[in-house]
Tab-separated table of all heavy atoms in Angstrom:
chain	number	residue	atom	x	y	z
A	73	VAL	N	18.630	9.324	3.182
A	73	VAL	CA	19.750	8.381	3.219
A	73	VAL	C	20.375	8.365	4.620
A	73	VAL	O	20.464	9.385	5.299
A	73	VAL	CB	20.805	8.775	2.163
A	73	VAL	CG1	22.042	7.892	2.265
A	73	VAL	CG2	20.223	8.681	0.778
A	74	ASN	N	20.759	7.162	5.042
A	74	ASN	CA	21.419	6.941	6.328
A	74	ASN	C	20.521	7.191	7.532
A	74	ASN	O	21.012	7.390	8.654
A	74	ASN	CB	22.697	7.787	6.455
A	74	ASN	CG	23.780	7.335	5.499
A	74	ASN	OD1	23.948	6.136	5.263
A	74	ASN	ND2	24.511	8.279	4.938
A	75	ASP	N	19.223	7.161	7.295
A	75	ASP	CA	18.281	7.324	8.403
A	75	ASP	C	17.048	6.487	8.135
A	75	ASP	O	16.565	6.436	6.988
A	75	ASP	CB	17.895	8.793	8.573
A	75	ASP	CG	17.064	9.018	9.816
A	75	ASP	OD1	17.396	8.423	10.867
A	75	ASP	OD2	16.093	9.777	9.743
A	76	PHE	N	16.526	5.823	9.168
A	76	PHE	CA	15.303	5.041	9.010
A	76	PHE	C	14.616	4.918	10.365
A	76	PHE	O	15.238	5.099	11.423
A	76	PHE	CB	15.580	3.653	8.408
A	76	PHE	CG	16.698	2.883	9.079
A	76	PHE	CD1	16.465	2.152	10.232
A	76	PHE	CD2	17.974	2.870	8.533
A	76	PHE	CE1	17.478	1.429	10.836
A	76	PHE	CE2	19.002	2.158	9.123
A	76	PHE	CZ	18.753	1.434	10.286
A	77	GLN	N	13.331	4.630	10.323
A	77	GLN	CA	12.526	4.526	11.538
A	77	GLN	C	11.719	3.240	11.524
A	77	GLN	O	11.346	2.731	10.464
A	77	GLN	CB	11.542	5.705	11.662
A	77	GLN	CG	12.183	7.022	12.032
A	77	GLN	CD	12.870	7.673	10.843
A	77	GLN	OE1	12.355	7.624	9.733
A	77	GLN	NE2	14.014	8.276	11.079
A	78	LYS	N	11.410	2.733	12.714
A	78	LYS	CA	10.562	1.553	12.825
A	78	LYS	C	9.124	1.908	12.517
A	78	LYS	O	8.635	2.978	12.865
A	78	LYS	CB	10.656	0.981	14.247
A	78	LYS	CG	12.015	0.398	14.602
A	78	LYS	CD	11.996	-0.186	16.015
A	78	LYS	CE	13.348	-0.792	16.352
A	78	LYS	NZ	13.353	-1.372	17.736
A	79	GLY	N	8.466	0.967	11.870
A	79	GLY	CA	7.037	1.083	11.661
A	79	GLY	C	6.286	0.348	12.749
A	79	GLY	O	6.751	0.212	13.878
A	80	ASP	N	5.119	-0.172	12.401
A	80	ASP	CA	4.253	-0.804	13.391
A	80	ASP	C	4.651	-2.228	13.747
A	80	ASP	O	4.296	-2.724	14.819
A	80	ASP	CB	2.807	-0.805	12.871
A	80	ASP	CG	2.313	0.603	12.587
A	80	ASP	OD1	2.615	1.505	13.389
A	80	ASP	OD2	1.634	0.796	11.554
A	81	ILE	N	5.378	-2.895	12.847
A	81	ILE	CA	5.707	-4.306	13.082
A	81	ILE	C	7.181	-4.574	12.769
A	81	ILE	O	7.528	-5.489	12.037
A	81	ILE	CB	4.804	-5.241	12.254
A	81	ILE	CG1	4.866	-4.884	10.755
A	81	ILE	CG2	3.359	-5.180	12.733
A	81	ILE	CD1	4.279	-5.974	9.869
A	82	ALA	N	8.087	-3.811	13.359
A	82	ALA	CA	9.513	-3.886	13.020
A	82	ALA	C	10.240	-5.072	13.639
A	82	ALA	O	11.332	-5.442	13.174
A	82	ALA	CB	10.202	-2.597	13.443
A	83	GLU	N	9.667	-5.693	14.660
A	83	GLU	CA	10.382	-6.770	15.353
A	83	GLU	C	10.687	-7.929	14.418
A	83	GLU	O	9.800	-8.434	13.725
A	83	GLU	CB	9.566	-7.278	16.540
A	83	GLU	CG	10.297	-8.324	17.373
A	83	GLU	CD	9.524	-8.731	18.614
A	83	GLU	OE1	8.493	-8.094	18.886
A	83	GLU	OE2	9.939	-9.679	19.284
A	84	GLY	N	11.973	-8.363	14.406
A	84	GLY	CA	12.380	-9.465	13.563
A	84	GLY	C	12.836	-9.036	12.175
A	84	GLY	O	13.164	-9.882	11.341
A	85	TYR	N	12.871	-7.735	11.933
A	85	TYR	CA	13.291	-7.195	10.642
A	85	TYR	C	14.417	-6.170	10.852
A	85	TYR	O	14.527	-5.577	11.921
A	85	TYR	CB	12.142	-6.494	9.921
A	85	TYR	CG	10.950	-7.366	9.613
A	85	TYR	CD1	9.835	-7.377	10.449
A	85	TYR	CD2	10.925	-8.161	8.468
A	85	TYR	CE1	8.734	-8.166	10.165
A	85	TYR	CE2	9.823	-8.961	8.176
A	85	TYR	CZ	8.732	-8.949	9.033
A	85	TYR	OH	7.635	-9.732	8.742
Side-chain angles (χ1 to χ4, degrees):
Chain A
V73 175
N74 292 322
D75 187 42
F76 49 83
Q77 287 78 39
K78 293 182 179 180
D80 301 319
I81 55 166
E83 185 175 353
Y85 300 97

